[in-house]
Amino acid sequence: MKVRLYTTLFFILALLTVAFIFGSQNEQLLTLNYLIARTELTVAAAVSLFTGLGFFLGLLVTILWRIVRKSKKAFAKNKSQEV
């Protein structure tokens, strides 16, 4: 179990490192158009922003999925004890 965790962390850190290296090599400006705003960022800032945002959204979904899964197991266990 720990080997799997360390392997996953290694790959996540490797992908983040590649993303940040790629972003730091590009000094060009990007124009991002939102629904109500527009901003200009460097490629490095955009890569960092969206990589971090994707990482935290994935982490949030994983945590919520585990909470729901554990609560379903606890509910099923309580229901089986009542019968």
Side-chain angles (χ1 to χ4, degrees), residues 1-41:
M1 184 73 172
K2 289 195 183 244
V3 173
R4 180 178 168 194
L5 175 67
Y6 292 137
T7 304
T8 302
L9 287 175
F10 172 76
F11 281 119
I12 288 172
L13 289 175
L15 288 174
L16 287 173
T17 303
V18 169
F20 290 123
I21 289 172
F22 169 76
S24 68
Q25 298 299 316
N26 293 296
E27 297 293 329
Q28 297 173 344
L29 288 177
L30 294 175
T31 301
L32 298 175
N33 294 319
Y34 301 104
L35 291 174
I36 58 172
R38 177 185 295 177
T39 186
E40 288 191 7
L41 296 172

Side-chain angles (χ1 to χ4, degrees), residues 30-81:
L30 294 175
T31 301
L32 298 175
N33 294 319
Y34 301 104
L35 291 174
I36 58 172
R38 177 185 295 177
T39 186
E40 288 191 7
L41 296 172
T42 63
V43 173
V47 168
S48 299
L49 175 71
F50 292 121
T51 302
L53 185 64
F55 176 76
F56 286 116
L57 285 175
L59 189 63
L60 179 68
V61 168
T62 301
I63 290 170
L64 289 174
W65 177 69
R66 286 183 180 226
I67 289 171
V68 167
R69 194 175 79 183
K70 285 184 180 184
S71 66
K72 282 184 180 180
K73 283 183 181 181
F75 180 74
K77 184 178 178 182
N78 289 338
K79 190 157 185 135
S80 67
Q81 288 178 354

